[in-house]
Amino acid sequence: MKPRKFFAANSREVLKLVRDALGPDALIVSNAKVAGGFEVIALPATSISELVGASRAEMALVAAPLRETAAARPSPAAATAEPRRRETTAAPSQAAPAAVSTSAEPAQPMIAAAPPAPPREALSEALVHNMVAELRNMRAVLEQRLSGLAWTELSRRDPAKVAALQALLTAGFSGELARRLTDPMPDGSDEVEGMKWLVAEVNRNLVTAGADNDIVERGGVYAIVGPTGVGKTTTTAKLAARGVVRHGADRVALLTTDTYRIGAHEQLRIYGRILGVTTSIVRDAQELKSTLSELRGKHMVLIDTVGMSQRDKLVTEQVHALTRSGGNVKRLLLLNATCNGDTLEDVVRCYEPASLDGCILTKIDEAQAIGASLDVIMRNRLALHFVANGQRVPEDLHTPNRQYLIHRALRAAAGGSVFGLEHEEYPLMLAPARQEPQRDAASGFAARMGGYVA
Ligand SMILES: Nc1nc2c(ncn2[C@@H]2O[C@H](COP(=O)(O)OP(=O)(O)OP(=O)(O)O)[C@@H](O)[C@H]2O)c(=O)[nH]1
Ligand SMILES: [Mg+2]
């Protein structure tokens, strides 16, 4: 478990030396810029388990004298436990009087034999726990320092790639997608070419439904799902209005599963009445099935669903009810563009993205930046069917224009923001070590930097 020192002209080479000598899971203990290059002190990955093993052994040594001291000085608790021990010892031989008379002698042998296991175990566990926490902290710090080094190196070597990464991160894209998108950028591009290349790459990765094959044109049964207040009922009405304009009111039907809250279905009924479209309420999977069967002849049936928190277990029940209902119900998830990336990611996960037909991005009129929404949509490979940019029914619903959305997302990078980062702070976003405590510093870092340093 002896630390080894490595030296090379630059950070990339020194990390290569470390990896060649100690493997990809090596633990970097320190790194520093020294005269003529970089110096790194590293340990093999096995040292962590040796460290933990050693600490257990050391604890055993420390615990032994403690046990002896406890034996010499019985605690009140041990004294009260004594009669119970006597009973247990006496029971098998039925020799109670003899046992009592033996234990009336000085109490040392009884107490010395008592296994002080629980406190020792607890102490040792606490020590191991603390050590693991310390190692994780060290790992996070090291990972950030290494990311800093890599960032400096990359800024010097490939400024266009750094500018693209910075633009994506500022726009609210995740480090993961920003790396993935910029990784294949050709080396040696200038910044203007680099940004053009980036826009084309985002464009290629953002899947949208075109005006000619939108759901209103295609028809079918669509359940509009999403968290509370995201705009499900309003968007259902907007879609229904488009359906009425293109196919006539008698070819469109509205359903609501919202019997959860008093009067909730009234909102949809009013829209239905204005549009001249039949509106039905369904209470369970069975009723949904029979109503859908009655509405078989319609071009488009839209189901407005219950609004509830994405963490609510009713979400799962609702998903299953719609699946069980048959009638080939497709689900469209509504995402609120004003939410942050983590919240949107959580929403997508709760609604089982693999079985979604796509999504609609709402409230983009209220969102300062839409990078995080586009990131979640792209990473989860959701098809974006519509964007909603206001409360007006039916005007504020549009088929997505990718150029406009990308321009809008990246525009956030150009304007200054109080939440903006300084150039040298970006590596912190590229090395989210605290969220991934299980990963090794060296290998996790190399993976995250997509091979920039290795
Ligand atoms: N600014 C803006 N407001 C919107 C948009 N879509 C819906 N809203 C408003 O958001 C509020 C909630 O909309 P609803 O359609 O009732 O949302 P919901 O998802 O059905 O809500 P629950 O049924 O309570 O879960 C209403 O005031 C809508 O007018 C949009 O694209 N932009
Ligand atoms: Mg609603």
Side-chain angles (χ1 to χ4, degrees):
M1 203 186 62
K2 220 168 162 198
R4 286 181 57 185
K5 196 185 276 185
F6 297 85
F7 173 83
N10 59 41
S11 62
R12 193 151 46 113
E13 281 170 24
V14 78
L15 285 173
K16 187 169 179 334
L17 288 179
V18 174
R19 208 171 39 189
D20 290 347
L22 303 178
D25 294 337
L27 180 74
I28 311 285
V29 176
S30 79
N31 67 79
K33 203 168 179 180
V34 294
F38 283 88
E39 187 182 274
V40 163
I41 297 176
L43 285 165
T46 48
S47 355
I48 299 176
S49 45
E50 280 175 31
L51 257 174
V52 174
S55 79
R56 282 186 191 277
E58 279 158 21
M59 273 314 302
L61 285 178
V62 176
L66 277 176
R67 253 198 332 268
E68 279 152 24
T69 319
R73 223 173 344 96
S75 68
T80 20
E82 210 176 324
R84 250 186 287 140
R85 285 193 190 289
R86 274 180 218 141
E87 278 164 31
T88 337
T89 325
S93 63
Q94 297 298 312
V100 170
S101 72
T102 317
S103 50
E105 303 282 302
Q108 283 90 329
M110 291 297 290
I111 298 165
R120 190 184 71 216
E121 277 298 309
L123 201 57
S124 153
E125 282 305 316
L127 187 81
V128 170
H129 183 80
N130 285 345
M131 284 193 65
V132 170
E134 277 299 314
L135 283 170
R136 278 181 184 160
N137 276 344
M138 265 174 64
R139 189 175 288 187
V141 171
L142 286 169
E143 189 148 339
Q144 281 169 5
R145 298 265 320 259
L146 284 169
S147 292
L149 279 177
W151 182 253
T152 312
E153 171 74 10
L154 187 65
S155 307
R156 194 183 53 73
R157 192 158 47 87
D158 207 342
K161 196 173 271 185
V162 166
L165 266 172
Q166 215 163 311
L168 288 171
L169 294 173
T170 309
F173 284 81
S174 63
E176 186 199 321
L177 188 68
R179 269 188 310 272
R180 227 166 65 200
L181 289 171
T182 52
D183 206 27
M185 181 186 282
D187 289 340
S189 319
D190 67 28
E191 286 194 22
V192 177
E193 280 170 16
M195 283 312 286
K196 273 193 195 152
W197 185 93
L198 176 66
V199 169
E201 192 64 7
V202 178
N203 198 341
R204 206 170 57 78
N205 281 276
L206 181 63
V207 180
T208 53
D212 48 343
N213 75 336
D214 72 40
I215 59 167
V216 180
E217 206 49 56
R218 266 195 275 150
V221 182
Y222 293 93
I224 312 299
V225 299
T228 322
V230 67
K232 295 180 295 297
T233 307
T234 314
T235 308
T236 304
K238 289 174 182 174
L239 288 169
R242 281 185 167 231
V244 169
V245 170
R246 283 197 218 165
H247 308 285
D250 57 334
R251 303 294 317 281
V252 178
L254 293 174
L255 295 187
T256 176
T257 60
D258 202 347
T259 51
Y260 198 60
R261 295 164 307 158
I262 299 165
H265 52 267
E266 258 322 296
Q267 196 187 347
L268 194 72
R269 268 197 189 288
I270 293 166
Y271 282 125
R273 217 172 296 140
I274 294 168
L275 296 168
V277 166
T278 46
T279 310
S280 320
I281 303 169
V282 289
R283 285 167 193 80
D284 53 36
Q286 191 51 45
E287 225 175 274
L288 182 59
K289 195 173 178 176
S290 58
T291 313
L292 285 178
S293 146
E294 284 163 24
L295 297 171
R296 263 199 315 269
K298 303 281 182 191
H299 175 74
M300 183 166 74
V301 178
L302 296 167
I303 309 171
D304 181 23
T305 60
V306 186
M308 47 203 167
S309 145
Q310 71 267 20
R311 293 190 171 278
D312 200 313
K313 75 175 175 43
L314 284 173
V315 169
T316 329
E317 283 169 25
Q318 192 190 2
V319 168
H320 291 147
L322 290 168
T323 321
R324 278 197 305 269
S325 72
N328 198 15
V329 180
K330 298 189 185 80
R331 289 182 311 128
L332 285 174
L333 175 64
L334 263 56
L335 294 171
N336 182 340
T338 65
C339 290
N340 70 22
D342 283 329
T343 307
L344 292 173
E345 188 66 29
D346 193 35
V347 170
V348 172
R349 208 175 314 124
C350 290
Y351 285 89
E352 302 179 5
S355 62
L356 287 169
D357 194 62
C359 67
I360 294 176
L361 189 59
T362 63
K363 307 200 180 185
I364 66 162
D365 54 309
E366 288 182 352
Q368 173 61 24
I370 58 167
S373 326
L374 296 190
D375 180 286
V376 171
I377 292 169
M378 285 157 75
R379 260 183 318 96
N380 289 287
R381 298 180 197 289
L382 296 174
L384 179 62
H385 286 265
F386 285 100
V387 289
N389 66 337
Q391 296 178 295
R392 291 175 308 165
V393 179
E395 296 94 327
D396 295 333
L397 186 73
H398 308 274
T399 46
N401 176 333
R402 285 204 299 275
Q403 294 290 348
Y404 165 76
L405 291 172
I406 296 165
H407 170 76
R408 216 188 124 179
L410 294 176
R411 193 181 63 193
S417 156
V418 285
F419 294 100
L421 298 176
E422 296 296 328
H423 176 80
E424 61 280 3
E425 289 167 342
Y426 281 92
L428 298 177
M429 291 174 77
L430 289 163
R434 270 157 297 149
Q435 290 168 14
E436 297 166 285
Q438 304 303 326
R439 291 175 71 170
D440 175 76
S443 62
F445 161 71
R448 272 196 283 281
M449 289 308 285
Y452 292 158
V453 249

